Amino acid sequence: MSTLAWFAAASLAVWVWLLLGQGFFWRTDQRLPDASPRTRARGGGDDGGPARGETWPAVVVVVPARDEAGVLPLSLPSLLAQEYPGRAEVILVDDGSTDGTGRLAAGLAAAHGGLPLTVTSPGEPAPGWTGKLWALRHGMALARARGPEFLLLTDADIAHRPDSLRLLVAAARDDDRDLVSQMARLRVASSWERLVVPAFVYFFAQLYPFRRVNARRPRATAAAGGCVLLRTETAVAAGVPDAIRAALIDDVSLARAVRAAGGRIWLGLAERVDSVRPYPDLGELWRMVARSAYAQLRYDPLLLLGAVAGLVLVYLVPPVACVAGLASGDAAAAWAGGLAWAVMAGTYVPMLRYYRQSWWTAPLLPFTALLYLLMTVDSAVRHHRGRGGAWKGRIHTGGRAAENGEFTPRHEE
């Protein structure tokens, strides 16, 4: 066989293993139930909550927000309108916004009513803290003073259906989970969003198969930071957010801290939680991915080289081998590349269906993977130029010093 055919065969072997041996990462069935079997067994109703005679636990919702005036009118009213039978309130932490986020939030609460809202500000992050985690620290401290059993940590761009909080709490209590998080359904309105966003969630699930995260004997640990229900006593035991104060990928770091403290975790795809943040062009999506891609690789050049090689072998070799093999008459390369490409596309179809996208776009996944490869390389370049982790006017350079809490966030000029 030719060299190209050997590479295509290796890629096909990897895809067969990913299909069968990576926790069925491509399936999209890890979702919150409408009502749990345990709830019904205890005599509860079909509303997914405690049985008759039981009380709903108190919950405080903590929303870190920095310059979010553009999305708050779509997201905050949905939180205030939660149909939750127990005691619940919302704390919005205005993280140094310059667009009137705090004032807008107070105005929305006055106009819409619903759950009580507190708007507060923590000031500039202390050395060693990312902005979001500094805001969460302030909000969680205020929340704990209210004595809730659970904290809902949710981003300012996340809209919740009216029963979202109730079902999250029911899932945590019925299955005795300390952390329940959902991967919010991201917006897919523009052409670039339709091309890039489903792949973003697909790649995340490939790295952290949800079934392995949720198993009784878990083999992976992760969370989705946009929507995290966290048991308060577990947060205290895990020392969060202080223990993860420098993390750019705060959701996975949070999950690891909770699991290290003995907590049980559940992660799934959302049906009632949606991101309303627009990414209308490739530049916005590029910055979103490049912000933390190198952090995912622990700022390690060798891991970067390995990631690039892996992406080339797994995603780029199959279409190249298939097309080149057909053009040159290399049947082995064409068959192996074509089969690997077919398996790749087949595993992508369930995610496209979840995002209500056409299945026939699945063969375009290699092109999207190439974009992610370039974004990852760009993330490393930005880091080495001292501009890694840039987000909303702040730069968190990351690296080993950051992991030990030894960096100071800077403002972009």
Side-chain angles (χ1 to χ4, degrees), residues 12 66 90 133 150 203 262 305 320 354 381-382 392 404:
L12 176 60
R66 178 174 171 84
V90 180
L133 290 171
F150 288 100
F203 293 144
L305 289 174
V320 169
Y354 170 73
V381 171
R382 294 182 187 210
K392 293 190 177 182
N404 296 321

Side-chain angles (χ1 to χ4, degrees), residues 82-405:
Q82 285 300 296
E83 298 170 352
Y84 185 68
R87 177 169 61 88
E89 61 180 294
V90 180
I91 296 176
L92 185 137
V93 186
D94 184 1
D95 179 21
S97 298
T98 59
D99 65 351
T101 288
R103 292 190 303 274
L104 176 60
L108 290 169
H112 291 273
L115 300 183
L117 173 71
T118 299
V119 178
T120 184
S121 179
E124 283 297 303
W129 286 82
T130 65
K132 178 182 176 180
L133 290 171
W134 179 250
L136 279 178
R137 178 180 182 269
H138 185 70
M140 290 171 68
L142 291 178
R144 285 196 298 268
R146 272 80 158 170
E149 183 175 336
F150 288 100
L151 304 168
L152 174 60
L153 314 179
T154 185
D155 289 347
D157 65 323
I158 301 299
H160 294 252
R161 306 288 175 84
D163 58 354
S164 170
L165 179 57
R166 176 169 54 83
L167 292 175
L168 282 164
V169 171
R173 298 195 84 192
D174 289 337
D175 202 27
D176 192 26
R177 301 280 179 168
D178 298 280
L179 186 154
V180 175
S181 67
Q182 296 184 91
M183 178 71 72
R185 200 191 302 261
L186 305 176
R187 202 186 86 139
V188 284
S190 72
S191 297
W192 285 111
E193 286 170 337
R194 289 192 290 270
L195 179 68
V196 174
V197 165
F200 176 82
V201 183
Y202 172 88
F203 293 144
F204 183 89
Q206 193 176 80
L207 284 173
Y208 307 103
F210 293 177
R211 287 172 173 267
R212 290 186 173 179
V213 172
N214 301 337
R216 290 291 175 179
R217 294 182 179 179
R219 296 173 57 191
T221 302
C227 177
V228 176
L229 185 77
L230 177 61
R231 198 179 298 272
T232 304
E233 64 178 4
T234 304
V236 173
V240 295
D242 298 61
I244 60 171
R245 61 189 181 274
L248 284 178
I249 309 176
D250 52 86
D251 44 12
V252 175
S253 298
L254 172 62
R256 288 171 177 165
V258 167
R259 184 151 279 165
R264 299 185 65 239
I265 291 171
W266 186 91
L267 168 64
L269 294 171
E271 288 288 346
R272 295 169 172 83
V273 180
D274 301 279
S275 173
V276 297
R277 187 181 304 283
Y279 293 99
D281 55 52
L282 180 59
E284 293 290 331
L285 288 161
W286 193 289
R287 284 187 287 274
M288 183 265 290
V289 174
R291 172 178 177 261
S292 59
Y294 197 39
Q296 180 71 54
L297 299 174
R298 306 174 195 171
Y299 309 101
D300 189 328
L302 292 179
L303 288 179
L304 174 65
L305 289 174
V308 169
L311 285 169
V312 169
L313 175 65
V314 175
Y315 289 99
L316 303 187
V317 164
V320 169
C322 181
V323 173
L326 289 173
S328 65
D330 188 340
W335 274 103
L339 285 174
W341 196 0
V343 174
M344 179 199 315
T347 63
Y348 192 37
V349 168
M351 189 61 69
L352 289 173
R353 286 178 175 169
Y354 170 73
Y355 272 97
R356 305 182 183 96
Q357 301 301 302
S358 300
W359 65 267
W360 57 264
T361 62
L364 297 177
L365 184 58
F367 175 70
T368 308
L370 174 60
L371 290 178
Y372 274 89
L373 185 156
L374 296 174
M375 293 172 188
T376 302
V377 173
D378 184 48
S379 178
V381 171
R382 294 182 187 210
H383 168 76
H384 288 292
R385 289 180 175 176
R387 302 188 66 81
W391 191 251
K392 293 190 177 182
R394 291 194 183 120
I395 297 174
H396 302 279
T397 54
R400 299 298 181 186
E403 293 174 5
N404 296 321

